[in-house]
Amino acid sequence: MLATVVLAPLLLAAAASDPTSPLLSADMGRPRLVVLISVDQLIPEQLERLEPHFHGGLGRLVRRGLVFRNASLEFARSETGAGHASYGTGTLPRSHGVVGNSFFDRTLGRTQYCVEDDGVLGLTVKGTSEESGRRSPRNLQRPTIGEHVQAALPGAMSVSVSAKDRAAIGMGGRSTGPVLWWDKRGSGFQSSTFYGETLPRFVHEWNAGWVDAARWWPWESTVPPDATALGTAPDERPGERPFIDQGVTFPYRLPDTDNAQQLAGLAFGTPIVDRFTAEIAVAAVRAMRLGGDGVTDVLTLSFSGCDVVGHANGPFSHEVTDLLLRLDRHLGDLFDELDECVGPGEWIASLSADHGVLPLPEHLAAHGIDGRRLVGGEVGAFRKELRVRMKDRLGHDIRVERGNGGLTLDRRGLETSGIALETASAVLLAITRDLAPTRSWIDGVYGYGEVAALRADATGVERLLRDSFHPDRVTDVVVLPAPHILVGLRNGTSHGTHHWYDRHVPLIFYGPGFEPGTRSDPVGTHDAVPTILARLGIEPMSELDGRDLLGGARR
């Protein structure tokens, strides 16, 4: 698979340079720039309820774009890594292989982070680093939109930026061009040696000023007085996570310090991280002259602030409302820059999200929905009973890890005891199924073999499981969480389940070729790339799971 991914761009580029190639008979009115935008943890309700107060980029997209109101992730593990890879490649986790932020690698026998790569070094303004930034698309098994465009159009440039490495890499992939993410150790935006030996000059220049911009930055509310009528909850409410030692109500402030590492970590949890992402994107547009010639370029952006602030305060909080109003302005400035540098009508954009989120359980309870936090000993008691029963059945104390979407047997323990994996897995599945009905936080249990056997005609949750399944990157027993329950969180909220609130996301297209309006047919975020490639007249260099929403059938 990886060999195909590497070789295909060379073959397709050769075809594109041939004047008789059908790729060159595509519409000569190709846009000069494609902008693929993800707002991490954005839910459609945010765009609908706050639309009257959007006067910048989000307002332009909502009012002048083609809006799909019934878009979702069509797979079970709604996490950042999987969501960005699916949006950026036009394929599902079963194809691109990034099934979650981390996954149990059955070949290596251990859990690994989705973009980890010890074979590369981090790259900062100070040079290479072994301590941070050792990231690459090594685990991504399908090409991204930038790769498709660069393969078809020689000379096309691609840039990918996010505060999160797994977002920037999931959307940038192996494209040739800067792939940048935020360095929580304090250097500004960084990359890795997978993408080059030095950072571009514009990154050095921007990084030189971010500490002064962040030091003593005041986070004051921009939420309008009628926010409650628009669906924003009161500023102070139960369930929110305090911002350092400053409580849960506005205003907040970053510290007055020259400690870049401290500032970098705290800035990551405020709207200023989205401002920085927009600023470095504008710097890239200007420095690289994206969209400045006759060859279509690609800019992929993921704004991470909504996720970090949303985890702490919930999607309907004053903090998230304020962040989105600010993001609207930042995107407005970016779009104005594109109109000036690229030209009105010369660029197209798509906006979506990598996943949704569960509102605070306290918020749900106030609205008559049975949501709760599971922070006592119920999960611990389950693991203890599971371990006792496993030892009774197998005659050995085999450790079972919970995480990555299920339960995983300790490979070293199995090897030492001489117990076959298949035998232990069958016992683990049987015991988990026996215990599940008495555990309110478990919605369903599937064995590895059962998920592997799911076919293309599977429906409902089994279809979602099938499309999240990669044979080398799944636990021994998949455990589906029950709805509206947060396990292990005393405040804040999270996502990651197969439930609709975690999978329902926006999907909007904007620009020439996308007639403004609203559609309600069910679509997936992995439909964005095939839709855009069709608009560009570019044939993908490998099979996509998505479809062209303006005319193509599901592949």
Side-chain angles (χ1 to χ4, degrees):
M1 177 63 70
L2 291 179
T4 302
V5 170
V6 172
L7 291 175
L10 301 176
L11 299 176
L12 199 57
S17 64
D18 178 1
T20 64
S21 169
L23 289 176
L24 288 189
S25 65
D27 177 19
M28 295 302 292
R30 282 193 187 107
R32 295 184 175 187
L33 180 66
V34 173
V35 186
L36 203 69
I37 302 167
S38 171
V39 179
D40 201 316
Q41 202 185 110
L42 182 65
I43 58 176
E45 292 88 339
Q46 306 286 43
L47 299 180
E48 295 172 2
R49 72 184 183 87
L50 297 176
E51 185 272 335
H53 291 280
F54 288 149
H55 305 296
L58 291 176
R60 192 193 292 206
L61 293 172
V62 170
R63 288 188 282 273
R64 294 162 56 184
L66 174 57
V67 179
F68 288 84
R69 298 186 64 185
N70 200 20
S72 70
L73 311 183
E74 296 188 1
F75 49 90
R77 284 187 68 184
S78 49
E79 297 179 0
T80 296
H84 281 95
S86 298
Y87 183 42
T89 65
T91 64
L92 294 161
R94 63 177 168 84
S95 299
H96 61 64
V98 180
V99 297
N101 291 345
S102 62
F103 48 81
F104 181 77
D105 190 311
R106 301 178 72 87
T107 302
L108 298 178
R110 66 171 179 88
T111 293
Q112 65 170 312
Y113 181 49
C114 63
V115 291
E116 74 173 62
D117 187 351
D118 290 339
V120 301
L121 297 175
L123 191 62
T124 73
V125 292
K126 298 178 181 180
T128 57
S129 171
E130 294 185 0
E131 297 179 349
S132 69
R134 305 186 75 171
R135 305 288 186 247
S136 84
R138 177 180 64 174
N139 292 319
L140 185 63
Q141 297 181 345
R142 290 296 179 90
T144 60
I145 184 171
E147 295 174 72
H148 288 294
V149 172
Q150 289 184 319
L153 305 176
M157 293 182 289
S158 177
V159 177
S160 186
V161 181
S162 175
K164 295 184 179 181
D165 49 19
R166 57 187 178 271
I169 293 171
M171 297 175 72
R174 294 173 176 79
S175 56
T176 301
V179 175
L180 307 169
W181 55 89
W182 186 245
D183 179 15
K184 292 183 184 178
R185 291 178 175 265
S187 72
F189 282 97
Q190 66 171 356
S191 187
S192 79
T193 53
F194 180 90
Y195 295 104
E197 295 303 316
T198 59
L199 291 173
R201 180 177 177 180
F202 75 86
V203 180
H204 281 262
E205 292 174 349
W206 187 91
N207 280 350
W210 80 264
V211 170
D212 288 337
R215 183 192 299 115
W216 208 232
W217 179 75
W219 184 7
E220 298 172 339
S221 176
T222 62
V223 177
D226 62 345
T228 301
L230 293 174
T232 299
D235 191 14
E236 185 171 6
R237 59 188 181 140
E240 294 190 348
R241 184 182 308 148
F243 180 69
I244 45 179
D245 59 352
Q246 299 178 25
V248 297
T249 60
F250 281 107
Y252 308 101
R253 186 180 286 275
L254 293 177
D256 184 11
T257 177
D258 290 325
N259 186 325
Q261 183 167 337
Q262 181 186 11
L263 272 180
L266 293 175
F268 185 76
T270 75
I272 201 172
V273 77
D274 286 344
R275 172 184 139 189
F276 288 170
T277 301
E279 287 178 355
I280 199 76
V282 169
V285 170
R286 292 174 178 173
M288 298 179 64
R289 296 188 68 248
L290 295 180
D293 56 21
V295 181
T296 301
D297 297 324
V298 177
L299 174 63
T300 59
L301 301 172
S302 176
F303 294 91
S304 305
C306 186
D307 181 75
V308 184
V309 175
H311 272 290
N313 301 98
F316 300 107
S317 62
H318 261 61
E319 288 81 2
V320 168
T321 297
D322 170 81
L323 180 143
L324 292 174
L325 294 174
R326 293 172 183 268
L327 179 59
D328 174 57
R329 295 196 295 274
H330 298 325
L331 283 175
D333 293 341
L334 172 63
F335 292 172
D336 289 344
E337 183 77 19
L338 297 182
D339 284 342
E340 180 177 347
C341 294
V342 183
E346 296 291 343
W347 57 277
I348 62 174
S350 172
L351 178 138
S352 190
D354 54 341
H355 53 73
V357 68
L358 175 70
L360 297 177
E362 295 82 359
H363 178 92
L364 294 175
H367 289 78
I369 300 173
D370 185 19
R372 68 187 180 97
R373 300 181 184 276
L374 193 64
V375 294
E378 185 173 338
V379 176
F382 166 80
R383 294 182 65 180
K384 183 177 181 180
E385 187 169 357
L386 182 66
R387 187 169 184 174
V388 169
R389 292 198 185 191
M390 288 284 290
K391 184 176 182 180
D392 182 60
R393 291 278 300 273
L394 295 174
H396 292 270
D397 189 10
I398 305 298
R399 185 163 50 90
V400 178
E401 292 292 335
R402 177 178 167 269
N404 299 317
L407 304 172
T408 306
L409 292 153
D410 175 40
R411 284 351 192 217
R412 288 186 179 180
L414 291 176
E415 184 178 355
T416 300
S417 65
I419 301 173
L421 174 61
E422 294 76 10
T423 301
S425 294
V427 171
L428 176 61
L429 175 60
I431 294 174
T432 306
R433 281 227 170 99
D434 187 45
L435 295 175
T438 63
R439 267 59 184 184
S440 62
W441 51 277
I442 296 180
D443 197 41
V445 177
Y446 289 81
Y448 173 91
E450 293 170 333
V451 180
L454 292 172
R455 305 192 315 173
D457 59 357
T459 58
V461 67
E462 292 189 346
R463 178 61 180 263
L464 300 176
L465 282 172
R466 173 186 179 269
D467 288 338
S468 279
F469 177 81
H470 185 285
D472 296 329
R473 299 173 180 179
V474 69
T475 56
D476 299 317
V477 172
V478 175
V479 178
L480 298 177
H484 305 136
I485 293 180
L486 287 175
V487 178
L489 290 180
R490 296 186 179 277
N491 51 35
T493 188
S494 195
H495 53 84
T497 77
H498 62 292
H499 299 297
W500 181 248
Y501 53 77
D502 278 347
R503 296 190 299 107
H504 188 204
V505 295
L507 183 60
I508 301 174
F509 297 92
Y510 169 85
F514 300 107
E515 184 176 352
T518 302
R519 284 174 48 173
S520 298
D521 46 319
V523 301
T525 58
H526 62 299
D527 292 325
V529 166
T531 301
I532 292 172
L533 291 180
R535 168 66 184 87
L536 299 178
I538 291 176
E539 185 70 21
M541 59 180 175
S542 61
E543 185 177 3
L544 305 178
D545 295 321
R547 63 187 171 98
D548 171 16
L549 295 176
L550 302 186
R554 177 76 68 190
R555 292 175 181 269

